[in-house]
Amino acid sequence: MEFTKFLEMKFLEWQQMEGGRKTVKQFAAYVGVSQSAISTWWNGDRLPEGENVTKLASRFGMEVYDTLGLPRP
C-alpha cells in the first residue's frame, strides 16, 4: 500500500474512533506533527523522515516502516 493511502486510511479510522468528522489540523495534533506536514504527505509531495516516522509509528504501529519501505528499528 502506498503511504498516501495508508495515511488516509488511518485518518478515517481515527475519525471513527473519535466519534465523528475531524479536521486535518486536529489529526496533525493527534499525530504530533504540523498540518502542513500531513498535507504534504497526503498529497504525495514528500514522505515523512526521521523523527516524524517515529511519531507516526508510535500512533499507528510498526507497519508505518513497512509502508514507507524502511527497515524496522
Side-chain angles (χ1 to χ4, degrees), residues 1 3-31 35 38-39 42 56 59-60:
M1 172 183 303
F3 185 74
T4 56
K5 298 289 183 201
F6 173 81
L7 191 60
E8 181 179 359
M9 181 182 71
K10 293 302 180 182
F11 176 65
L12 295 173
E13 288 175 1
W14 173 75
Q15 283 189 98
Q16 282 186 320
M17 183 178 72
E18 291 293 307
R21 294 187 54 88
K22 300 290 181 184
T23 66
V24 173
K25 183 176 182 178
Q26 291 169 312
F27 183 61
Y30 167 74
V31 174
Q35 179 180 349
I38 294 286
S39 296
W42 212 326
L56 288 162
R59 287 290 183 198
F60 306 126

